[in-house]
Amino acid sequence: MNNKWIVSSSPHIRTNEDTSYIMKQVLIALLPATIAGLYYFRVRGAITIIACILGAVLSEFLYCKITKKESTINDLSAVVTGLLLAFNVPAGLPIWMCVFGAIFSIIVVKMLFGGIGFNFLNPALAGRAFLLASFPVAMTTWVKPGANADAITAATPLSYMKLGGSEGAGSAANALNHLHQANISLSDMFLGNIGGTIGETCTVLLLIGGVYLVYKGIISYVMPVTYIVLATVLTFLFGGMNFEFALYQACAGGLFLGGIFMLTDYTTSPMTKKGQIIYASIAAILAVCIRLFGGYPEGVSYSILFANCLVPLIDKYVNNRVFGEVRK
Amino acid sequence: MKLLTFKGGIHPPYGKEYANKKPIEKAAAPATVYIPLQQHIGAPAKCIVEVGEEVKLGQKIGEAQGFVSSNIHSSVSGVVKAIEVCGVPGGSSTCVIIENDFKEELHPSIQPHGEIESLSKEEIIDIVKEAGIVGMGGATFPNHVKIAPPPDSNAEFVILNGAECEPYLTADDRLMVEHPELVVYGLRALMKALDVKKGFIGIEVNKPEAIENMVKAAEAYPEIEVVSLQVKYPEGAEKQLIYACTGREVPSGALPIAVGAVVDNVATAAAIAKAIKFGMPLVERITTVTGPCIKEPKNLVTKVGTKFNEIIEQCGGIKEGVTASKLIAGGPMMGLAQCTDDISTNKGSSGILILDDKMAKAPQPQNCIKCGRCTDVCPAFLQPLFISAYSLKNDFEQAEKHRAMDCIECGSCSFICPARRLLLPSIRQAKREIGAKRRKAAAAQKK
């Protein structure tokens, strides 16, 4: 019989669900919103998405080549980062800027720290922040949904709302006024027929993707629900107790995109459920603060990036009770 | 019906279909048996026979040494050929090598001990000790130690583990289907020995026939409850099983008796029943020979000390067209991979599993993506990724702070890890280092 038995430590069987399987599921979950992005932003959207993904994958491939490491692009995480970066920029962003952002995301935020699993910030969001700081005009030149050849700029719902002033009870009504004048209805916001980044606009399809991920066991509902619900409640409480205003805010500016796909990034979120609630709550509070009181209409990316920085601290101090541990 | 379970755990592919419909068969008696004198932690038994001596089936050949140790008996009748170091699962041990004369002559000491009712508590413990009965779930811990807890402890119930959550293995399942009365008898003996009023038999619901037959066999005894458990690994882990059956958590670092529980395998109970009813010491057991590479998977009653390769031969050997690459003593989650099939079985040989090359290939570990799955599935609520990371950095102090010693080594974390990291092996390493450090400190204190 065989005399070359393989000897290794138990367990001897493994799940089939490896890293690339998980990333594949995330890509599947992003598919509906991608299709919406293509539908609303046509060729411009497609070009931006392709540029971001190619930029991300190629830069990871070349980095591994140069540093003589085994290529990690097969785990598909670079594709996810590229697609999420594209979701976070306006359609029609110049190609070179897309590639620039992707390189920053992959090389600076991810690979220099040791590759997948070692980045302390969400690469796509850090890439967006980098682009926004470097090219503020291009990054806020929004394309009207359905526009094809010429850039027709349109403000985002959040910037309309910001026009209404930032604080006080009257501002909510004022903000809604601006929205109504611009003919932006709640259903438009829900379906994504508004200005904004490629991926943030269609709330309902993002939600479908999120439900898919929870169903597949890729993410838990804890972080997205805490984040989105708390942000909406806080907006209601501090935005003049106006329910319509709070709903508009919830559907605007990537709260769903961030809550479902960025906040839940494994590497940059806490391990324990308790830690995840703390983390998502901090991010929600920050997002609302920036939106309502900051000088800036949109707060999702920065809220998550800031919360990312707190994760090591949360992981250090928030731990599970071990089975059989005596309750104090 | 609400099924009982614990928090955490995984759902590995079960592979039970290879053998769960195969009735128990008696394996052909081997021409030579190699009976190990060391079958468990604690002291090895002392050999009490000499080369050239004639022995009978069931004759004591190894005398227990010290407290945690158990007697060894001959599984055949014949002549002692040699006493040598031979291969056993997980290493080597001094073995008594006996040439079988195929007469199956019983040793005169093998006499029925009467009925449970006529036996005292001490007599039952004595029978268990004399018969060399050990935990047959795989750990082979001497059973008389377990059923004679310290006088200040208070046993409230006996829980029989019939979960058999380890994939591929079907020995316990078949035992419960075919001999439920033995299991119930053994449980009653255990309950009497421990002086408890309540007995549980926990069985996963993927063994409906076993549940049905056990319920029938236990019908006349209202103090015995057959508990249906969720199908989940590691449902049969001692502390998890206690939690599932009673809702009690065994405190960290303590033994089950701390919450009043004594857990035994169903096969152990059946062995106790045989020892009382027929006076038969533990010389054989049911071994599941299974996996994708075995031509004809079987549940075989094997004599302790039979060579693995002979048992595999009896199941038709290796199937054509597959590459048999990994030989495991036990199941795929906690079993030990072997480097040779020239080893002999012991009282804990619950399974012989052979995996093909595709399943046996060790995957390349990648970066941890901190997905937290290991934390979600850990039945001890640990954070395996952190313990493993500290262990790999040789920072065992931090590993200890992250409660490495609470790990039950079920392997769920390694199974679920999408980055294929070697979580359990590195945690085991940490446990060894921490254990060694503690022993050192304890020894220093004694001085």
Side-chain angles (χ1 to χ4, degrees):
Chain A
M1 218 186 301
N2 190 341
N3 50 10
K4 271 190 269 171
W5 297 106
I6 297 173
V7 177
S8 65
S9 185
S10 68
H12 306 289
I13 49 173
R14 298 271 191 163
T15 168
N16 294 326
E17 301 180 1
D18 60 1
T19 305
S20 65
Y21 167 85
I22 291 171
M23 295 301 162
K24 226 177 276 165
Q25 298 307 309
V26 176
L27 289 174
I28 291 171
L30 286 167
L31 200 62
T34 308
I35 292 168
L38 292 176
Y39 171 76
Y40 287 123
F41 302 110
R42 314 283 155 96
V43 184
R44 295 162 160 282
I47 291 173
T48 311
I49 289 173
I50 292 169
C52 286
I53 293 178
L54 279 183
V57 175
L58 279 179
S59 46
E60 184 160 319
F61 178 75
L62 289 175
Y63 181 91
C64 291
K65 198 109 226 179
I66 291 163
T67 55
K68 299 199 168 60
K69 282 184 187 139
E70 205 184 322
S71 174
T72 48
I73 56 168
N74 284 336
D75 65 26
L76 298 179
S77 61
V79 181
V80 172
T81 298
L83 185 57
L84 282 177
L85 178 68
F87 269 32
N88 274 284
V89 299
L93 188 74
I95 293 176
W96 68 272
M97 285 188 196
C98 293
V99 174
F100 215 53
I103 292 174
F104 181 85
S105 291
I106 295 292
I107 304 292
V108 179
V109 184
K110 183 176 164 191
M111 299 314 278
L112 287 182
F113 283 89
I116 185 169
F118 287 102
N119 49 296
F120 72 100
L121 293 176
N122 182 309
L125 279 182
R128 175 187 191 262
F130 166 76
L131 287 176
L132 192 59
S134 311
F135 317 106
V137 177
M139 280 294 285
T140 49
T141 303
W142 311 106
V143 176
K144 207 170 178 177
N148 214 345
D150 303 304
I152 304 166
T153 55
T156 67
L158 277 179
S159 44
Y160 278 121
M161 287 191 262
K162 201 78 199 169
L163 285 175
S166 46
E167 281 169 72
S171 66
N174 204 349
L176 289 174
N177 235 348
H178 282 278
L179 284 174
H180 295 306
Q181 269 169 20
N183 252 338
I184 298 174
S185 70
L186 258 179
S187 68
D188 281 338
M189 311 234 3
F190 209 59
L191 296 175
N193 195 17
I194 47 173
T197 68
I198 296 174
E200 76 182 15
T201 57
C202 187
T203 308
V204 63
L205 293 181
L206 288 168
L207 196 60
I208 289 172
V211 170
Y212 176 79
L213 286 182
V214 172
Y215 168 72
K216 279 281 178 182
I218 306 294
I219 62 169
S220 129
Y221 67 91
V222 171
M223 288 186 276
V225 169
T226 309
Y227 184 69
I228 294 166
V229 171
L230 185 62
T232 311
V233 169
L234 288 176
T235 308
F236 175 73
L237 290 178
F238 296 100
M241 302 279 197
N242 188 315
F243 191 61
E244 199 187 350
F245 176 68
L247 269 188
Y248 266 105
Q249 285 271 359
C251 294
L255 197 71
F256 277 75
L257 175 64
I260 295 169
F261 292 99
M262 320 286 231
L263 197 71
T264 54
D265 174 21
Y266 289 148
T267 309
T268 56
S269 63
M271 300 297 306
T272 60
K273 290 281 170 286
K274 229 190 308 173
Q276 290 176 353
I277 292 172
I278 295 171
Y279 160 81
S281 304
I282 291 172
I285 293 166
L286 277 169
V288 173
C289 281
I290 296 171
R291 279 184 176 188
L292 293 184
F293 311 117
Y296 208 69
E298 130 88 66
V300 169
S301 341
Y302 291 108
S303 76
I304 297 175
L305 284 172
F306 186 80
N308 284 166
C309 301
L310 296 175
V311 168
L313 204 67
I314 295 174
D315 268 340
K316 186 165 175 180
Y317 289 107
V318 183
N319 285 308
N320 284 338
R321 185 188 68 88
V322 172
F323 184 89
E325 192 176 13
V326 184
R327 272 165 254 223
K328 280 184 190 136
Chain B
M1 185 177 59
K2 193 169 169 286
L3 296 172
L4 299 173
T5 190
F6 61 99
K7 279 178 229 141
I10 53 170
H11 298 277
Y14 259 43
K16 303 268 192 192
E17 67 283 358
Y18 287 106
N20 64 356
K21 294 280 177 286
K22 302 283 179 69
I24 300 167
E25 274 176 59
K26 226 170 161 58
T32 315
V33 287
Y34 305 74
I35 302 173
L37 288 167
Q38 166 98 63
Q39 303 200 6
H40 46 74
I41 55 161
K46 195 181 97 188
C47 183
I48 54 168
V49 290
E50 280 165 19
V51 178
E53 196 177 324
E54 230 176 87
V55 293
K56 298 272 190 291
L57 175 59
Q59 181 179 341
K60 198 198 285 182
I61 56 170
E63 178 88 48
Q65 296 292 300
F67 185 55
V68 181
S69 185
S70 76
N71 294 329
I72 310 277
H73 302 78
S74 177
S75 52
V76 295
S77 62
V79 179
V80 178
K81 288 260 295 204
I83 297 162
E84 278 171 15
V85 174
C86 305
V88 294
S92 59
S93 156
T94 306
C95 292
V96 178
I97 303 170
I98 302 169
E99 201 174 59
N100 192 355
D101 61 12
F102 296 99
K103 288 183 195 149
E104 299 269 305
E105 257 179 276
L106 284 183
H107 192 257
S109 67
I110 295 169
Q111 295 296 333
H113 291 279
E115 287 302 310
I116 295 175
E117 288 73 24
S118 62
L119 293 167
S120 75
K121 188 177 154 173
E122 289 72 24
E123 279 172 320
I124 293 176
I125 296 174
D126 228 46
I127 293 167
V128 168
K129 188 174 178 182
E130 238 353 87
I133 287 166
V134 297
M136 290 168 77
T140 61
F141 187 79
N143 203 251
H144 62 270
V145 182
K146 218 178 207 177
I147 62 176
D152 58 330
S153 54
N154 179 26
E156 292 172 57
F157 26 70
V158 174
I159 300 174
L160 284 194
N161 177 10
E164 198 162 53
C165 58
E166 182 75 60
Y168 290 94
L169 302 190
T170 53
D172 291 349
D173 185 6
R174 289 315 302 180
L175 171 72
M176 293 186 286
V177 169
E178 295 180 40
H179 303 291
E181 73 293 342
L182 280 181
V183 176
V184 170
Y185 194 91
L187 176 56
R188 284 173 50 226
L190 282 165
M191 286 164 65
K192 176 144 190 194
L194 284 153
D195 197 17
V196 301
K197 297 277 167 289
K198 182 87 196 156
F200 294 98
I201 304 171
I203 309 170
E204 283 186 345
V205 284
N206 61 351
K207 304 170 184 70
E209 215 186 332
I211 294 177
E212 197 188 313
N213 292 7
M214 286 307 314
V215 167
K216 249 186 250 160
E219 235 166 18
Y221 308 100
E223 66 277 18
I224 294 175
E225 188 182 336
V226 176
V227 179
S228 302
L229 303 169
Q230 248 181 50
V231 180
K232 188 158 81 171
Y233 177 87
E235 193 73 85
E238 198 166 57
K239 293 180 177 185
Q240 280 57 43
L241 185 63
I242 295 169
Y243 181 82
C245 290
T246 68
R248 297 190 189 183
E249 269 186 38
V250 179
S252 163
L255 293 171
I257 193 73
V259 293
V262 172
V263 181
D264 247 327
N265 188 270
V266 284
T268 314
I272 292 171
K274 278 194 217 163
I276 295 173
K277 279 186 156 180
F278 315 115
M280 203 59 198
L282 182 46
V283 293
E284 57 180 28
R285 65 155 301 137
I286 307 168
T287 305
T288 307
V289 190
T290 184
C293 297
I294 298 281
K295 197 180 259 171
E296 204 188 325
K298 282 179 180 173
N299 298 295
L300 287 176
V301 176
T302 57
K303 288 179 180 298
V304 170
T306 311
K307 288 277 184 190
F308 271 39
N309 43 24
E310 283 183 44
I311 297 173
I312 296 165
E313 268 328 301
Q314 283 188 44
C315 296
I318 304 297
K319 214 189 266 176
E320 285 90 25
V322 292
T323 316
S325 292
K326 199 184 239 179
L327 171 67
I328 299 163
M333 292 303 295
M334 292 189 84
L336 285 174
Q338 306 296 327
C339 58
T340 170
D341 54 26
D342 187 24
I343 49 174
S344 53
T345 61
N346 62 21
K347 295 172 185 176
S349 295
S350 51
I352 296 174
L353 169 66
I354 298 183
L355 299 179
D356 59 26
D357 51 345
K358 205 172 132 239
M359 295 173 82
K361 218 168 85 192
Q364 198 59 34
Q366 297 159 352
N367 282 359
C368 168
I369 55 171
K370 301 189 174 69
C371 64
R373 289 173 175 218
C374 52
T375 302
D376 290 340
V377 303
C378 179
F381 313 159
L382 301 171
Q383 294 178 294
L385 78 167
F386 292 138
I387 303 175
S388 167
Y390 284 122
S391 174
L392 291 173
K393 280 190 275 185
N394 290 326
D395 187 349
F396 301 113
E397 215 163 288
Q398 278 296 326
E400 191 175 4
K401 265 189 205 151
H402 278 80
R403 313 287 295 254
M405 294 310 264
D406 281 291
C407 169
I408 59 169
E409 306 192 20
C410 67
S412 298
C413 51
S414 286
F415 173 84
I416 206 78
C417 180
R420 310 309 196 200
R421 298 190 66 76
L422 300 169
L423 294 169
L424 178 55
S426 55
I427 294 171
R428 268 202 200 110
Q429 173 66 16
K431 286 181 74 177
R432 267 197 296 273
E433 296 280 343
I434 297 164
K437 197 189 84 191
R438 285 185 183 175
R439 277 193 296 279
K440 234 177 172 175
Q445 214 159 33
K446 264 188 196 159
K447 275 179 196 164

